Amino acid sequence: MRKDLLTVENLTDTDLENILKLSELMKRERLTWKRKSLDGKTIALIFSKSSTRTRVSFEVGIRELGGNALFLDQNDMQLGRGETIEDTAKVLSRYIHGVVIRTYKHDDVVELAKFAKFPVINALTDEFHPCQILTDLFTMREFSGKLKGVKVAFLGDCASNMANSMILAANLSGLELRLASPEKYAPSPSLMKMAEESEKGEVSWTDDITSAVEGVDYIYTDVWVSMGMEDEKEKRLKELKDYKVTNEIVEAAGEGVRIMHCLPAHRGEEITSEVIGSHKSIVFDQAENRLHVQKSIMTMLLDEDWKDILEEG
Ligand code: CP
Ligand code: NVA
């Protein structure tokens, strides 16, 4: 595993297996877990976008691992008044042991990681959401017992941070991913090229939502108006309206399909309330698993004896 987790692009098969195994252990033994991997360590959470799951699951996870969580709103920092990311990274390196950052430009997170002595964990940028997608892989493996060949249909904004992350996750894990959207919201050509060149995973795109969901194990969707895109709201709701996850779409997928959403959901927009509340929906399992998977990631990045924990487990 590298120093930072910025996307899942550079993770190896072994990294993924270790993250998933350690997450399983963290989940199973949460109530009796003794090892304080973050003892004496302070992890700063620098957020410039809203969050419920990510903020709370990181803060709780840091405490459960014996560390201190320091929440910082990016706009209250000198960063918000023009101090450079480089200087911020160098200063923070004198105080703290890790940063979890949620911001707009992915390059800002790359820049922070470049100058920081501590591990940087991307908690969502406009382009990627690695903690969410690793959790989604964990959740799919929990329900399906495997990842290779598991069929997932991603519906809606296929150029979003979640769709981008799902494409990289398919390359990493061997998922069969079918993306469906209007042409205007088609996936990034460079990520699709990367998927084509990848030895694992099968990634395709269509504008036909019904054929995309046929026979899949999971239907995945995300909001149509991601954070920072509020000005485009009206236009997006109109242009994406035929890509909503409804009962009809769930039925078209066939028996056994499960419904995933990274949340927050905008019920009635990308998904109906009925579908999200149905027995096929595993969205709250996904939300819970954020805690276990992020504890595993932090342990692997910040506890030099993490391999012993895995072996002993
Ligand atoms: N899924 C997710 O990252 O949720 P929050 O925006 O609430 O953190
Ligand atoms: N695509 C969404 C994900 C939220 C977790 C957004 O960026 O707002």
Side-chain angles (χ1 to χ4, degrees), residues 92-138:
L92 292 179
S93 294
R94 304 285 176 113
Y95 305 135
I96 59 170
H97 307 94
V99 159
V100 175
I101 179 165
R102 169 169 286 199
T103 191
Y104 294 88
K105 286 197 238 146
H106 188 73
D107 286 350
D108 287 353
V109 175
V110 174
E111 172 109 343
L112 180 71
K114 180 177 161 195
F115 292 105
K117 290 215 159 57
F118 46 78
V120 173
I121 299 174
N122 174 6
L124 179 147
T125 60
D126 290 344
E127 282 180 72
F128 300 105
H129 197 358
C131 296
Q132 179 68 54
I133 206 69
L134 286 169
T135 302
D136 297 335
L137 291 178
F138 176 78

Side-chain angles (χ1 to χ4, degrees), residues 266-312:
H266 286 190
R267 292 171 182 239
E269 290 179 12
E270 76 279 1
I271 191 164
T272 63
S273 223
E274 222 178 343
V275 171
I276 217 164
S278 79
H279 68 281
K280 292 176 190 258
S281 164
I282 57 169
V283 301
F284 299 111
D285 297 288
Q286 284 175 266
E288 178 197 324
N289 286 337
R290 293 291 301 276
L291 173 68
H292 313 302
V293 173
Q294 288 160 189
K295 282 169 73 182
S296 155
I297 293 166
M298 288 189 288
T299 301
M300 287 173 67
L301 295 178
L302 284 146
D303 184 337
E304 56 187 24
D305 296 327
W306 66 267
K307 282 191 176 146
D308 297 343
I309 306 175
L310 207 50
E311 272 163 30
E312 283 158 23

Side-chain angles (χ1 to χ4, degrees), residues 178-191:
R178 305 181 200 160
L179 301 134
S181 68
E183 184 137 25
K184 191 169 170 194
Y185 297 89
S188 137
S190 63
L191 287 176

Side-chain angles (χ1 to χ4, degrees), residues 67-78:
N68 299 303
L70 179 67
F71 185 81
L72 300 165
D73 181 331
Q74 186 167 327
N75 300 316
D76 292 339
M77 297 173 72
Q78 296 291 4

Side-chain angles (χ1 to χ4, degrees), residues 50-55 102 129 132 227 262-264 290:
S50 309
S51 172
T52 297
R53 280 143 290 271
T54 309
R55 176 177 176 179
R102 169 169 286 199
H129 197 358
Q132 179 68 54
M227 290 180 278
C262 56
L263 302 180
R290 293 291 301 276

Side-chain angles (χ1 to χ4, degrees), residues 49 102 124 129 160-162 222-223 225-227 262-264:
K49 287 176 173 173
R102 169 169 286 199
L124 179 147
H129 197 358
S160 66
N161 45 14
M162 278 317 307
D222 181 17
V223 290
V225 185
S226 284
M227 290 180 278
C262 56
L263 302 180

